[in-house]
Amino acid sequence: MPVAVKNLFARLGAYFQGFSAAQRTLAILGVAALVLGGIALTSWLGKASYAPLFTGLAASDASSVTDQLQTDGVPFQLTDGGATILVPQSQVYSERLKAASNGLPSSNEGGYSLLDKMGVTSSEFQQDVTYKRAIEGELAKTISAMDGVQTASVQLAIPAKTVFVAEQKDPTASVFIATKNGTQLTPDQVQAIVHLTSAAVEGMQPTDVSVVDQKGQTLSAVGTGTTGIGSDQAAAYDQTTSKKIQDLLDTTLGPGNATVVVSATMNQNSGTKTSESYTTPTTGPVALNESATAEQYGAGSTAGAGATGVLGPDNIAVPNGTGTPGAGGYKNTSATKNNAVDHTTETTQIPAGALSNQSVSVALNGKASTVKNVNLQSINDLVANAANLDTRRGDKVAVAVMNFDTTAADRAAKALAAQQRADQQQALWSGIRTAGIALASLLALLVIVFFLLRRGRRQEREAVDLGELDAFAGDTFQLPLAVDPAADLAAVGAGDLPTVALPTLPDEEPPTEVLSTDEITAERRRQEISALAERDPKRTADLLRGLLDDRAPV
């Protein structure tokens, strides 16, 4: 080991030996915390980053994929109830390609690919079922690609075709949606799923699609459309209409001076309405078909053309010989007339959720200055127009002026103000406490640093072996007034150290002088040196000579 390193460890060991028990404990805890933190940081930095390999897997596919990963020796993690598999990010694409070469995940294969496996010997029933499964698989894939949808399953009910048009039924569809955690499909997304499914099947209407999520909530029911149940529709309409009217009144009368309640009734019946109309001339109604027949006997007929008599052989008329030519005969005329009248047939689909009627109630605060001189009829007209009221439908509006009870509002305002003051005080005391803790920590750190520097400075001072100076700690000695180093050394060598008696101070009380700790220590050391010199002059001289030699410049 290099000498410099040895000296460094030696100095550190000596420095550590100078610590007290508390300092050693703190130092050991600090070193342990640094070591553990370094180990944790290294472990975290060295941990592999995982990325999704597949999501939304079925149980069988997840088992097959994990078996492949175990065979390849690739670490993996299962999340989302086993439907998502995570692998190290560096191996995502290679493992995904290997899984695809092995036909995994197999549950995702479907749609029109099922038609590729059909043979020429398949029956008509098998062909129909396979075609239906193909459409269901394609729809499920498309719906699963939507944002927020994890998996989807589609079931189609397509009735068999019949020659009787009146007995033909519309196809229906059932869609099951499993959303991602914490995701809720919006009404627009549900409507998109309904229209996507209905447009993929011939003869299917949007009202023939049912959508259900994994929580068992019906997002769209057959016959009611995509807007949900009647209570939800009415609540949404009430909220929207109330907000429009409330914003209008707040702008007109001021905030808090009016309150609005809207109650709407929705019609949940759905069906088809067919109407036929005919366009007729303005002169009056005209029959669609006209038929006329005219018969005439006697002189009105053409002479000789219609002679009457007894039929002879071969149905030939034989004149009776008594009649006058042209005096008799028969004429028959028939006519049929079809009038050109316009015929219009109109078919209307009536969805569920139509507004049957609504009632709007408005209460104005009579204590407000803006309400005292207000025209109630103007308010009534504004509310009716904002809510699009229709009196023929049975809509109603009521506007009344009354004094509002503000007791609860005042209490709430006082409670809110008190809570705000409490929060401010708590924030203030929290800041003071934090500042105090920080200041105390800083002071403790400064004290520790000062103590360590002071202890280090003491260790840097040269130790002087004074022998048995402690035995003379309680004695007092006379000190010289003037010190001559050369004379003092000569006197010490001769064994005769001159002493001078200090002058006697006057009887009056001398001024008190406050000495520092270093001055007191230096004075005590001088007294101890003087006592040693008087007791053992030779040893004192050797000691002083050694000190002078050590401090001499090299």
Side-chain angles (χ1 to χ4, degrees):
M1 184 181 293
V3 179
V5 178
K6 290 183 178 180
N7 294 336
L8 177 62
F9 281 110
R11 286 196 297 271
L12 291 176
Y15 188 74
F16 183 75
Q17 291 294 332
F19 284 179
S20 63
Q23 292 174 342
R24 291 181 182 179
T25 302
L26 293 177
I28 292 173
L29 292 177
V31 172
L34 290 177
V35 172
L36 293 177
I39 293 174
L41 180 61
T42 304
S43 175
W44 180 74
L45 293 177
K47 187 177 180 180
S49 178
Y50 282 79
L53 179 63
F54 292 108
T55 59
L57 292 176
S60 57
D61 290 339
S63 177
S64 301
V65 173
T66 53
D67 290 342
Q68 175 187 328
L69 295 177
Q70 291 176 354
T71 303
D72 297 340
V74 178
F76 62 89
Q77 296 178 357
L78 296 176
T79 59
D80 196 13
T84 301
I85 300 178
L86 304 177
V87 297
Q89 192 169 8
S90 59
Q91 297 177 337
V92 170
Y93 300 106
S94 60
E95 291 300 323
R96 192 173 293 174
L97 292 176
K98 290 181 181 179
S101 63
N102 295 331
L104 295 174
S106 60
S107 296
N108 290 335
E109 293 184 356
Y112 292 121
S113 61
L114 295 174
L115 302 178
D116 299 335
K117 304 177 183 179
M118 292 183 60
V120 294
T121 59
S122 300
S123 63
E124 183 179 359
F125 176 76
Q126 291 176 337
Q127 293 177 1
D128 294 340
V129 172
T130 305
Y131 178 70
K132 186 171 73 71
R133 289 180 56 197
I135 297 178
E136 292 173 352
E138 291 294 332
L139 287 174
K141 285 182 180 180
T142 306
I143 296 173
S144 299
M146 296 182 64
D147 186 18
V149 178
Q150 184 173 354
T151 58
S153 176
V154 180
Q155 301 292 331
L156 300 178
I158 303 177
K161 294 183 179 180
T162 177
V163 295
F164 300 101
V165 179
E167 298 180 0
Q168 183 68 33
K169 296 182 179 179
D170 294 335
T172 58
S174 176
V175 181
F176 175 79
I177 301 295
T179 59
K180 297 180 180 178
N181 293 333
T183 303
Q184 182 70 27
L185 294 182
T186 62
D188 293 337
Q189 289 178 312
V190 177
Q191 187 175 5
I193 294 173
V194 169
H195 286 281
L196 177 67
T197 306
S198 62
V201 181
E202 181 182 1
M204 182 178 295
Q205 302 296 329
T207 55
D208 296 331
V209 180
S210 175
V211 181
V212 181
D213 63 1
Q214 76 275 18
K215 298 179 182 178
Q217 298 177 350
T218 302
L219 306 180
S220 176
V222 174
T224 60
T226 61
T227 54
I229 60 178
S231 59
D232 296 338
Q233 296 175 2
Y237 181 84
D238 294 346
Q239 182 178 3
T240 303
T241 308
S242 298
K243 185 178 184 305
K244 292 191 299 184
I245 300 175
Q246 188 68 53
D247 293 341
L248 174 63
L249 295 179
D250 289 344
T251 304
T252 306
L253 304 177
N257 294 329
T259 180
V260 181
V261 176
V262 177
S263 178
T265 302
M266 297 295 179
N267 184 9
Q268 298 304 312
N269 297 326
S270 62
T272 303
K273 179 181 179 181
T274 302
S275 59
E276 295 182 356
S277 61
Y278 299 90
T279 302
T280 58
T282 57
T283 57
V286 178
L288 297 178
N289 299 317
E290 294 181 1
S291 179
T293 302
E295 295 181 350
Q296 186 177 4
Y297 298 90
S301 61
T302 303
T308 60
V310 181
L311 293 179
D314 300 328
N315 292 330
I316 297 175
V318 178
N320 53 16
T322 60
T324 303
Y330 173 76
K331 182 180 180 181
N332 187 350
T333 304
S334 297
T336 302
K337 181 180 179 181
N338 294 325
N339 295 322
V341 180
D342 293 337
H343 179 201
T344 303
T345 302
E346 182 179 0
T347 302
T348 305
Q349 294 288 341
I350 303 176
L355 180 62
S356 297
N357 55 72
Q358 61 177 337
S359 60
V360 182
S361 301
V362 179
L364 305 180
N365 186 10
K367 298 180 180 179
S369 59
T370 56
V371 180
K372 293 181 179 179
N373 298 325
V374 71
N375 188 349
L376 296 183
Q377 184 60 39
S378 300
I379 298 296
N380 194 322
D381 296 340
L382 289 175
V383 172
N385 293 331
N388 194 18
L389 296 181
D390 188 358
T391 55
R392 294 173 300 177
R393 191 173 52 192
D395 298 348
K396 300 177 182 179
V397 59
V399 180
V401 178
M402 56 188 63
N403 296 331
F404 286 4
D405 185 8
T406 60
T407 304
D410 296 339
R411 269 200 311 266
K414 292 181 181 179
L416 181 60
Q419 184 63 34
Q420 291 179 350
R421 290 194 298 269
D423 293 341
Q424 292 177 356
Q425 292 180 357
Q426 184 177 2
L428 177 61
W429 283 111
S430 178
I432 294 175
R433 182 167 57 252
T434 303
I437 293 174
L439 182 60
S441 302
L442 180 60
L443 291 177
L445 181 61
L446 293 177
V447 170
I448 293 174
V449 171
F450 176 76
F451 180 76
L452 294 177
L453 292 177
R454 183 180 180 88
R455 187 175 184 85
R457 186 178 300 172
R458 288 182 179 178
Q459 291 179 353
E460 291 177 359
R461 296 179 181 177
E462 298 182 359
V464 179
D465 186 10
L466 301 180
E468 300 176 354
L469 294 181
D470 294 340
F472 303 96
D475 299 338
T476 57
F477 304 95
Q478 295 178 346
L479 300 176
L481 295 177
V483 179
D484 187 358
D488 291 343
L489 291 175
V492 170
D496 186 11
L497 183 65
T499 59
V500 178
L502 296 174
T504 304
L505 296 176
D507 295 336
E508 60 183 2
E509 184 178 356
T512 303
E513 181 179 2
V514 179
L515 300 179
S516 62
T517 304
D518 295 337
E519 293 176 352
I520 295 174
T521 303
E523 183 65 22
R524 182 178 178 183
R525 292 291 178 87
R526 285 196 293 272
Q527 292 179 2
E528 292 174 350
I529 293 173
S530 299
L532 178 62
E534 183 177 0
R535 178 180 177 83
D536 194 352
K538 183 176 180 180
R539 184 178 177 184
T540 305
D542 295 338
L543 178 61
L544 293 176
R545 191 179 295 108
L547 293 176
L548 293 176
D549 293 340
D550 293 340
R551 295 185 179 183
V554 179

